[in-house]
Amino acid sequence: AQSVTQPDIHITVSEGASLELRCNYSYGATPYLFWYVQSPGQGLQLLLKYFSGDTLVQGIKGFEAEFKRSQSSFNLRKPSVHWSDAAEYFCAVGASNDYKLSFGAGTTVTVRA
Amino acid sequence: GAGVSQTPSNKVTEKGKYVELRCDPISGHTALYWYRQSLGQGPEFLIYFQGTGAADDSGLPNDRFFAVRPEGSVSTLKIQRTERGDSAVYLCASSPTGGGAVEQFFGPGTRLTVL
């Protein structure tokens, strides 16, 4: 079964600074990888996904993520954060023969002025 | 277009009571999923519907939990004899088809509190 680890529970970053959120997955075959963002009172919104091909994936809101098979990682990055990026971020893994997503515990991002 | 909607947004109940949580998926989506998100955790899979049938209910924690989707659209998650440990946010998601390479669209969730 697949699993996801997000090592950082909480990250504080200054507005305008860069952000990187870590995600490590465990899965025997090629995974399908997702990053979702959850703002208070809102549902999960998909930021980006990786299925195959180019390992650097561009998403919405200026986010990108890089799939590194050798490190079993799919880290999320943003070059310059905005106050509106304060939220909780979840990495998830799926599989070609499965439909359920396995989520990490999430990373809460606080943006300070 | 309209996204996934869930009602109620909040539900407070007493231990031992019965509750129903409703999910309206995006129109035309054949796949529907329920997840449960406990405080400080990521969502955990409960059940998956393809059309009207529950294709996988392996995530339901015990037989107090049951879900239906009688017409292949709206789904209801039912919890009998609620316990304090059932307190969580229950998320519903839908997708155009099933399978792993498909984006799941999530609703805002129902926050269930069992006193």
Side-chain angles (χ1 to χ4, degrees), chain A residues 75-88:
Chain A
N75 294 349
L76 181 72
R77 298 192 293 256
K78 184 168 184 177
S80 177
V81 299
H82 186 262
W83 63 267
S84 61
D85 293 323
E88 190 155 22

Side-chain angles (χ1 to χ4, degrees), chain B residues 3-17:
Chain B
V4 178
S5 62
Q6 294 185 244
T7 54
S9 55
N10 280 283
K11 176 70 177 179
V12 180
T13 191
E14 294 179 343
K15 180 176 179 294
K17 299 291 188 181

